[in-house]
Amino acid sequence: MSKKIRLAGIAYESLVNGPGMRRVYFSQGCRHNCEGCFNPDTHDFNGGEELDMDELIEDALDNPLLKGITFSGGDPLERAEEFAYMAKAFKKAGLNIWCYTGYTFEDVLEKMKKDNNIKDLIENIDVLVDGRFEKDKKVDGLKFKGSSNQRLIDVKKSLKSNCIIVLE
């Protein structure tokens, strides 16, 4: 595997993409094309730029203020192999990991059966914010999500109990 990942951008210190100070990696490439998406420039799979994952990991780990990492998009599941590689390194360092996807957790569970990269990624994240952004379900003041249909899922507990555990 190439140690490169195609990203639309990076938020080096964010307080709005999960709890605590976080580094946010915006994946380049998305198939959902949600109406009203606030990151439409992330949809093109050939946009953004290729960056070295080991350098990205090292740079994040050098920041003692970071409490966690968030993978956003685009859709990180479209680059599951690369994000799984990064997630493993961040987990090993003890960071909390969140991931946003337009797929529902039910869809993700099905994808995990066929795709080991998705399985590796999901097994190394703490919270999955699932579901497409739905413009008609946009509610001001929602914490860590854009529309009311999206869920904040405790991945570890959900995988262990074989039922979806939603965080309040």
Side-chain angles (χ1 to χ4, degrees):
M1 177 180 82
S2 148
K3 294 283 180 89
K4 299 277 186 197
I5 186 168
R6 186 167 288 280
L7 296 178
I10 300 169
Y12 288 89
E13 293 180 350
S14 169
L15 292 168
V16 296
N17 294 281
M21 182 73 70
R22 309 181 76 77
R23 175 81 35 103
V24 184
Y25 299 99
F26 295 93
S27 181
Q28 185 69 46
C30 185
R31 300 178 201 285
H32 305 294
N33 294 309
C34 303
E35 185 185 346
C37 173
F38 69 96
N39 279 344
D41 54 325
T42 66
H43 294 182
D44 179 0
F45 281 83
N46 298 310
E49 65 177 319
E50 276 203 340
L51 298 166
D52 182 282
M53 291 187 288
D54 289 328
E55 289 175 13
L56 294 172
I57 292 164
E58 187 178 331
D59 185 61
L61 296 180
D62 282 345
N63 183 338
L65 298 177
L66 295 180
K67 299 291 178 242
I69 301 293
T70 298
F71 302 141
S72 192
D75 195 319
L77 269 67
E78 304 294 356
R79 299 195 184 277
E81 183 177 12
E82 294 89 341
F83 280 108
Y85 176 84
M86 292 175 63
K88 287 175 185 175
F90 291 133
K91 272 273 58 84
K92 191 175 173 187
L95 290 170
N96 170 273
I97 302 175
W98 282 39
C99 183
Y100 285 78
T101 181
Y103 297 105
T104 64
F105 194 63
E106 293 84 351
D107 291 337
V108 172
L109 292 173
E110 285 305 307
K111 288 178 177 297
M112 285 173 65
K113 293 176 186 173
K114 300 178 201 107
D115 187 332
N116 282 333
N117 293 318
I118 290 178
K119 185 175 188 289
D120 278 352
L121 173 58
I122 298 303
E123 288 177 345
N124 284 284
I125 62 174
D126 298 294
V127 175
L128 184 75
V129 183
D130 82 330
R132 295 167 52 97
F133 170 75
E134 294 183 20
K135 193 174 171 182
D136 61 335
K137 293 183 178 159
K138 183 178 191 281
V139 180
D140 285 338
L142 289 175
K143 202 166 184 181
F144 305 131
K145 57 185 184 175
S147 56
S148 62
N149 61 297
Q150 295 172 312
R151 302 173 292 184
L152 279 64
I153 296 170
D154 184 320
V155 175
K156 301 277 181 266
K157 286 183 180 172
S158 296
L159 292 176
K160 197 173 187 176
S161 69
N162 215 17
C163 70
I164 298 172
I165 308 296
V166 178
L167 300 171
E168 292 310 315

